[in-house]
Amino acid sequence: MAITPIKELVQAAKTEIRSLDQAEAEHMAAQGDALLVDIRDPRELKREGRIEGAFHAPRGMLEFWIAPDSPYHKPELATGKTLILFCASAWRSALSVKALQDMGVENIAEMEGGFSTWKKRGAPVVLD
């Protein structure tokens, strides 16, 4: 059995999820209608910076942090706001949104282009 190429998995996920352009994601977060959720590895945040106000939920813990019955549940993710996931280039976030949709999460989307596009367009970045 051949392994499905990652690009195919990402493309398939993107046909089933909501993707927001960066301006819309930024606007929704600024209005208080959404929470930006950074799923990058902690080393990426340290190296590349982060978006002010974004909640950091590493990809490996995402399902555990969002599930109300998990001992690792994070109340910050149990919100009526739309959760807008992003990673470096919108591959992990696409797969993550699909996984969370499969869990039953409804108010969820990904930010097109991810953090790399955010940074390239000159949007604010915080370096710790």
Side-chain angles (χ1 to χ4, degrees), residues 2 8 15-16 19 27-28 34-36 38-39 51 70 77-79 85 88 103 106 109 124:
E8 285 183 29
T15 68
E16 298 183 39
S19 292
H27 177 74
M28 288 176 68
L35 176 65
L36 294 175
D38 190 336
I39 66 166
I51 297 172
S70 167
L77 297 174
T79 176
L85 277 52
M103 287 177 68
E106 294 176 355

Side-chain angles (χ1 to χ4, degrees), residues 44-89:
E44 291 175 279
L45 274 71
K46 185 171 179 62
R47 184 178 61 240
E48 300 294 328
R50 59 182 178 80
I51 297 172
E52 181 84 42
F55 183 80
H56 182 234
R59 173 64 190 104
M61 292 302 294
L62 195 55
E63 290 87 348
F64 297 99
W65 284 15
I66 209 155
D69 65 331
S70 167
Y72 302 105
H73 176 70
K74 297 287 185 191
E76 297 90 342
L77 297 174
T79 176
K81 297 178 180 182
T82 299
L83 300 177
I84 303 174
L85 277 52
F86 68 92
C87 60
S89 60

